[in-house]
């Protein structure tokens, strides 16, 4: 009788408690790019965020997978690792890699959102319970450590010393990779006379659509001709500003809304000249990285994770309390880049083929750290 195909491979349980598009993309890519391991996935739908981040141990309480033997658990940042280890004692000795797509200390809140420290505490307890904490950008890592430090300062008493030092000692940065096939480059130069500007982000407040409208209005005031594609995942309740963008600049729109076919989206990446971010929050910026790989010239604010891969000359002033100031700064950058015939700057270090070995080494190291009884 032959052994099962994966009998000799280390068994990994991958937990995704809020399986949003970026989380799903990362885990599917991770599994596909690491065939040396035997992967099993538990995920929960990306809805009811507050319930998901606090309730995932309860949702998985009867999952038979949590009673099986594992060599490693890989969990996304919304998973309550500490609670799961408490509820399932057999998981206590299993090493855990916590992957921080984002952190709740740096996630901006909108008006009307319920303010609660619970999501931050889930992140903190999970990081403490994990053996390795991996961030998708250095900005994500630094903002998490800063958030923990600020929280500790507010707590009344009985707080252990060196909490941030403990967390920093087991943390590292390993971005979500960009598939090699997306690095297509450009076959033509920039359309300087009528550039095609791409804004490819979720249609939510934290991606800065109000600033996008300001930038488009400023381009119009300066007499700059352009085309605009505003694409990305939308939701039932989306900022009203998108309707105003379409009303004011409808004649310039090339593509609008969510593109369900991935091939259509990737074709658009290859057609655009400039990819623009107006984000208030972006822990890595997959949309920007993908467009840059395809040959778009990036224009991004000088904040968040962008300084890690967007050249200085492609970043506009950040931090002004007046949206008009940021808009004028962004348009200054766009016009300067067009005038100088700027060239694409593909993020080569983010290629899957370059990052795949680093992921393998980290996973293999965590598996081999497993404590030996006795």
């Amino acid at each position: 009788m032959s052994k099962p195909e994966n009998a000799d491979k280390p068994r990994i349980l991958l937990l995704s408690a809020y399986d949003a598009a970026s989380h799903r993309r990362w885990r599917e890519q991770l599994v596909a790019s690491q065939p040396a391991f035997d992967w099993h996935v538990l995920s929960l739908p990306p809805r009811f965020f507050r319930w998901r981040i606090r309730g995932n141990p309860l949702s998985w309480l009867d999952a038979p997978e949590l009673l099986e033997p594992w060599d490693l658990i890989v969990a996304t940042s919304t998973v309550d690792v500490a609670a799961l280890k408490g509820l399932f004692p057999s998981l206590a000795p299993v090493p855990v890699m916590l992957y921080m797509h984002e952190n709740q200390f740096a996630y901006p809140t909108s008006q009307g959102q319920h303010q609660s420290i619970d999501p931050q505490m889930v992140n903190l307890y999970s990081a403490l319970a994990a053996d390795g904490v991996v961030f998708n950008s250095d900005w994500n890592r630094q903002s998490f450590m800063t958030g923990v430090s600020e929280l500790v300062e507010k707590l009344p008493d009985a707080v252990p010393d060196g909490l941030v030092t403990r967390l920093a000692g087991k943390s590292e940065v390993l971005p979500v990779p960009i598939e090699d096939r997306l690095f297509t480059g450009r076959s033509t130069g920039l359309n300087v006379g009528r550039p095609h500007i791409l804004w490819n982000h979720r249609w939510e407040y934290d991606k800065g659509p109000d600033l996008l409208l300001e930038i488009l209005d400023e381009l119009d005031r300066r007499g700059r001709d352009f085309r605009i594609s505003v694409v990305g995942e939308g939701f039932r309740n989306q900022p009203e500003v998108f309707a105003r963008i379409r009303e004011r600049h409808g004649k310039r729109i090339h593509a609008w809304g969510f593109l369900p076919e991935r091939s259509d989206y990737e074709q658009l990446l290859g057609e655009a000249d400039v990819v623009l971010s107006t984000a208030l929050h972006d822990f890595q910026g997959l949309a920007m990285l993908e467009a840059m790989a395809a040959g778009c010239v990036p224009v991004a604010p000088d904040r968040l994770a962008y300084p890690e891969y967007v050249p200085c000359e492609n970043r506009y002033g950040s931090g002004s309390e007046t949206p008009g100031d940021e808009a004028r700064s962004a348009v200054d950058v766009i016009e300067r880049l067009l005038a100088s015939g700027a060239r694409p700057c593909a993020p080569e270090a983010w290629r899957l083929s370059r990052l795949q070995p680093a992921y393998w080494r980290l996973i293999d190291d965590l598996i081999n750290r497993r404590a030996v009884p006795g």
Side-chain angles (χ1 to χ4, degrees):
M1 183 175 178
S2 62
K3 291 195 302 183
E5 181 182 351
N6 294 328
D8 297 326
K9 295 181 178 181
R11 302 184 77 237
I12 301 178
L13 179 62
L14 198 164
L15 302 173
S16 181
Y18 191 83
D19 205 39
S22 59
H23 293 213
R24 184 175 65 253
R25 176 190 182 280
W26 171 81
R27 68 166 173 81
E28 289 176 347
Q29 180 194 75
L30 181 63
V31 171
S33 65
Q34 300 294 336
F37 308 106
D38 181 16
W39 294 91
H40 300 259
V41 176
L42 278 180
S43 64
L44 293 169
R47 56 176 182 261
F48 313 125
F49 177 79
R50 296 284 174 174
W51 160 236
R52 283 287 177 268
I53 198 168
R54 289 300 290 123
N56 57 84
L58 192 60
S59 298
W60 285 325
L61 191 63
D62 296 322
E65 291 88 346
L66 294 175
L67 299 174
E68 296 179 16
W70 301 102
D71 295 295
L72 178 69
I73 294 171
V74 174
T76 60
S77 50
T78 51
V79 175
D80 192 337
V81 173
L84 281 172
K85 286 206 165 197
L87 289 169
F88 297 90
S90 63
L91 298 180
V94 180
V96 173
M97 175 182 130
L98 181 69
Y99 194 82
M100 301 290 289
H101 291 273
E102 67 279 306
N103 77 79
Q104 295 303 309
F105 291 95
Y107 205 101
T109 55
S110 63
Q111 291 184 349
Q113 264 189 329
H114 173 64
Q115 300 296 310
S116 171
I117 198 173
D118 279 358
Q120 296 177 358
M121 297 306 291
V122 169
N123 275 181
L124 175 56
Y125 288 149
S126 293
L128 289 169
D131 298 86
V133 186
V134 185
F135 295 85
N136 60 0
S137 71
D138 188 58
W139 182 82
N140 188 3
R141 180 179 181 272
Q142 295 298 331
S143 62
F144 175 76
M145 299 302 171
T146 299
V148 171
S149 180
E150 292 174 349
L151 173 65
V152 166
E153 292 295 321
K154 297 175 184 176
L155 300 178
D157 65 1
V159 179
D161 293 331
L163 199 59
V164 172
T165 301
R166 295 186 207 183
L167 294 168
K170 59 179 175 180
S171 72
E172 61 184 279
V173 175
L174 200 51
V176 175
I178 306 301
E179 289 88 346
D180 286 55
R181 62 181 175 77
L182 292 178
F183 286 78
T184 56
R186 295 188 68 87
S187 57
T188 59
L190 291 181
N191 186 335
V192 176
R194 194 184 185 213
H196 181 180
I197 298 171
L198 172 65
W199 189 92
N200 55 334
H201 309 276
R202 280 185 291 103
W203 287 27
E204 292 188 285
Y205 73 96
D206 59 296
K207 296 303 181 183
D210 292 284
L211 177 56
L212 171 62
L213 177 58
E214 292 271 1
I215 290 171
L216 298 182
D217 286 349
E218 180 65 18
L219 285 165
D220 187 49
R221 279 191 290 270
R222 297 190 190 187
R224 164 66 66 178
D225 195 12
F226 62 92
R227 290 186 298 157
I228 179 72
S229 288
V230 180
V231 299
E233 187 178 8
F235 303 91
R236 181 179 301 174
N237 297 317
Q238 62 188 33
E240 180 271 337
V241 67
F242 285 103
R244 283 187 280 141
I245 290 171
R246 190 163 194 173
E247 178 183 349
R248 291 190 202 176
H249 300 283
K251 67 180 183 297
R252 297 188 172 98
I253 291 173
H254 175 78
W256 183 263
F258 180 67
L259 300 179
E261 295 296 329
R262 179 73 189 187
S263 58
D264 293 337
Y265 174 68
E266 292 182 7
Q267 180 179 337
L268 182 63
L269 296 183
E271 294 172 352
D273 296 298
V274 173
V275 59
L276 172 66
S277 173
T278 54
L280 305 174
H281 131 254
D282 220 345
F283 287 100
Q284 178 175 333
L286 277 175
M288 290 292 287
L289 285 160
E290 288 179 343
M292 289 170 66
C296 290
V297 172
V299 174
D302 191 21
R303 58 173 173 252
L304 308 173
Y306 297 128
E308 296 173 41
Y309 56 85
V310 175
C312 179
E313 60 270 21
N314 295 63
R315 303 196 302 265
Y316 58 87
S318 172
S320 172
E321 295 183 1
T322 306
D325 290 343
E326 279 201 8
R328 284 186 286 274
S329 179
V331 173
D332 287 345
V333 170
I334 292 171
E335 294 200 318
R336 185 177 69 248
L337 291 172
L338 292 173
S340 65
R343 297 182 62 81
C345 42
E348 294 290 338
W350 278 254
R351 277 183 181 267
L352 175 59
S353 57
R354 293 197 180 185
L355 290 171
Q356 188 272 345
Y359 270 95
W360 181 88
R361 285 191 295 270
L362 174 61
I363 292 169
D364 185 65
D365 179 60
L366 286 169
I367 289 173
N368 290 321
R369 281 188 213 173
R370 185 168 188 169
V372 178

